[in-house]
């Protein structure tokens, strides 16, 4: 036994001395080389794929940025064309058209700033043979209407050879007619609504309602008439008379503007300035309008310039988009509301 242990100890390498590596045959070397080669190929392919993906991604972003840049250029070009509020006029002799649509108010498209700017551009264009105001408005602010009225009179005096005519479509009432009265002639459709030469001030009074509900109105003012139009406060006779005298003064300004514009064409009718509305043919008989006519007819037969160039002010692209979104949102909310209420009523 002792001899066997000594022999085994003699065969083991001494401690601290590394054992010699076993020789590797040829098949193991070939297998290891093949594995390393495959790993390199896979790594290289992945690197090429990543590089190709990066190139495609950069190309896509480049195309996107170029498209956006081109779109912005188009938008700037469009805004530059319409920055003065009208299209680039044709070089030949033409009729300038300005649309006044909807309520006349400083917050609407039919405001004095935009309309007077379009008027000046139309009159200053050397190729303008005449100007047509296409009116379709129920009225609005007397101040905005008066500013436009005065600007038309000024431009008529500055450019006496350029006539300006009004063509009324569906309705031309109150402040709309205030503007129309400043033109040389007024043309209507037989079914147009014309007139409403008057002034109104709307409001409600809830004094009896809050008394019945036991509600006390606590209002502090400095000035006895400061809260004169407060719907929860009473209206004295002196205050009522003051409001009426103010409306009468505004009405008189309106009447004088119409008389100045229409002159002897106005008929002697006690209801002419009562605030009534007449049809197109009735307005012609009363002298509020001159004849029947459309934009094309007036441009062709009166101004003698068939080509019509639109000088109407236009909202910007952003404003139109915002309005469109607002309209669609209101429409959807209205539809949802009607569906929730289960109502099939329609306003006619």
């Amino acid at each position: 036994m002792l001899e066997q242990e000594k022999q085994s100890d003699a065969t083991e390498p001494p401690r601290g001395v590394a054992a010699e590596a076993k020789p590797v045959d040829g098949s193991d070397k070939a297998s290891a080389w093949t594995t390393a080669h495959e790993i390199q190929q896979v790594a290289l392919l992945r690197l090429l794929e990543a590089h190709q993906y990066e190139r495609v991604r950069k190309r896509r972003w480049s195309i996107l940025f170029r498209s956006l840049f081109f779109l912005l250029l188009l938008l700037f070009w469009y805004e530059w064309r319409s920055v003065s509020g009208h299209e680039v006029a044709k070089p030949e002799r033409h009729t300038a058209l300005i649309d006044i649509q909807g309520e006349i108010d400083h917050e609407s498209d039919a405001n004095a700033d935009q309309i007077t700017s379009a008027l000046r551009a139309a009159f200053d264009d050397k190729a303008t043979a005449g100007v047509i105001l296409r009116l379709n408005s129920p009225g609005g602010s007397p101040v905005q209407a008066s500013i436009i009225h005065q600007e038309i009179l000024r431009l008529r005096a500055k450019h006496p050879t350029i006539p300006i005519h009004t063509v009324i479509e569906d309705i031309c009432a109150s402040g709309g007619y205030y503007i129309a009265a400043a033109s040389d002639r007024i043309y209507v459709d037989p079914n147009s609504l014309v007139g409403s030469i008057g002034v109104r001030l709307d409001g409600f009074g809830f004094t009896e309602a809050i008394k019945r509900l036991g509600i006390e109105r606590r209002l502090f003012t400095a000035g006895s008439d400061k809260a004169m139009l407060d719907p929860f406060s009473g209206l004295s006779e002196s205050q009522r008379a003051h409001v009426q005298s103010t409306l009468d003064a505004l009405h008189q300004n309106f009447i004088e503007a119409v008389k100045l514009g229409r002159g002897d064409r106005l008929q002697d009718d006690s209801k002419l300035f009562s605030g009534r509305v007449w049809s197109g043919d009735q307005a012609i008989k009363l002298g509020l309008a001159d004849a029947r006519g459309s934009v094309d007819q007036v441009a062709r037969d009166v101004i003698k310039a068939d080509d019509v160039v639109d000088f109407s002010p236009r909202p910007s692209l952003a404003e139109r988009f915002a309005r469109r979104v607002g309209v669609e949102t209101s429409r959807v909310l209205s539809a949802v509301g009607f569906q929730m209420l289960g109502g099939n009523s329609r306003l006619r």
Side-chain angles (χ1 to χ4, degrees):
M1 290 292 291
L2 293 174
E3 290 180 359
Q4 290 179 355
E5 289 178 359
K6 288 180 180 179
Q7 289 178 359
S8 62
D9 292 338
T11 58
E12 291 181 359
R15 292 182 181 181
V17 179
E20 294 182 1
K22 293 181 180 181
V24 181
D25 58 4
S27 61
D28 292 340
K29 288 184 178 181
S31 176
W33 184 87
T34 302
T35 303
H37 183 65
E38 289 177 352
I39 293 174
Q40 290 178 354
Q41 283 186 334
V42 171
L44 183 60
L45 287 174
R46 289 182 178 178
L47 183 62
L48 290 174
E49 289 177 357
H51 178 68
Q52 184 68 18
Y53 174 77
E54 186 67 20
R55 289 185 60 186
V56 171
R57 190 178 67 86
K58 287 182 178 180
R59 188 181 299 115
R60 288 176 180 173
W61 278 109
S62 176
I63 294 173
L64 177 62
F65 282 124
R66 288 178 183 176
S67 301
L68 289 175
F69 180 72
F70 182 70
L71 181 61
L72 286 175
L73 283 180
L74 285 178
L75 290 175
F76 278 121
W77 175 76
Y78 177 83
E79 292 294 331
W80 174 79
R81 283 187 64 198
S82 59
V83 68
S84 59
H86 64 278
E87 290 181 348
V88 178
K90 297 178 181 179
E92 63 268 15
R93 189 171 178 268
H94 62 259
T95 297
L97 175 66
I98 298 174
D99 271 318
I100 301 179
Q101 304 284 334
E103 184 181 2
I104 302 167
D105 187 78
H106 72 284
E107 293 183 346
S108 69
D109 290 338
N111 63 74
D113 289 339
Q114 292 189 7
I115 299 302
T116 55
S117 176
L119 284 167
R120 287 190 291 269
F123 273 94
D124 291 340
D125 194 294
K126 294 181 180 180
T128 297
V131 180
I132 293 178
L133 291 178
R134 182 163 57 188
L135 260 161
N136 188 15
S137 171
S141 166
V143 175
Q144 299 291 308
S146 177
I147 293 173
I148 299 171
H149 178 97
Q150 295 298 326
E151 183 64 14
I152 293 173
L153 296 179
R154 187 189 72 83
L155 291 171
R156 284 180 59 186
K158 182 180 178 181
H159 304 274
T161 60
I162 300 178
I164 178 169
H165 305 305
T166 294
V167 174
I168 297 173
E169 290 192 333
D170 297 316
I171 185 171
C172 180
S174 194
Y177 192 80
Y178 200 137
I179 295 172
S183 58
D184 292 295
R185 292 175 66 83
I186 299 175
Y187 296 87
V188 296
D189 183 88
N191 301 307
S192 300
L193 295 178
V194 185
S196 186
I197 303 172
V199 184
R200 58 179 288 179
L201 179 65
D202 299 59
F204 295 93
F206 300 99
T207 54
E208 294 298 324
I210 62 174
K211 286 181 181 178
R212 293 180 181 180
L213 293 173
I215 300 173
E216 179 187 0
R217 171 67 165 163
R218 296 177 180 177
L219 177 65
F220 304 95
T221 63
S224 58
D225 295 326
K226 184 64 178 177
M228 183 170 56
L229 299 179
D230 179 64
F232 299 101
S233 301
L235 192 65
S236 66
E237 289 301 322
S238 62
Q239 291 173 338
R240 192 182 301 273
H242 174 73
V243 172
Q244 187 60 53
S245 65
T246 303
L247 295 180
D248 291 340
L250 298 178
H251 190 204
Q252 189 60 39
N253 294 337
F254 195 171
I255 294 172
E256 291 177 359
V258 173
K259 288 183 176 180
L260 177 64
R262 302 301 298 166
D264 297 336
R265 289 172 287 187
L266 291 174
Q267 300 299 310
D268 187 11
D269 192 307
S270 60
K271 300 298 182 181
L272 199 61
F273 304 119
S274 65
R276 287 188 179 183
V277 177
W278 290 274
S279 68
D281 287 340
Q282 290 174 330
I284 294 173
K285 292 178 181 179
L286 291 170
L288 294 174
D290 295 286
R292 294 183 179 183
S294 63
V295 170
D296 292 335
Q297 290 172 343
V298 173
R300 180 182 63 250
D301 302 331
V302 180
I303 300 177
K304 308 295 184 181
D306 293 356
D307 292 330
V308 177
V309 178
D310 193 355
F311 281 75
S312 305
R314 290 185 180 84
S316 66
L317 218 59
E319 290 174 340
R320 282 188 288 171
F321 177 76
R323 290 178 186 177
R324 185 65 181 172
V325 171
V327 169
E328 293 299 330
T329 302
S330 300
R331 189 176 299 170
V332 170
L333 291 177
S334 300
V336 172
F338 279 122
Q339 290 177 0
M340 291 177 64
L341 292 174
N344 296 319
S345 302
R346 297 178 65 185
L347 184 61
R348 297 178 182 270

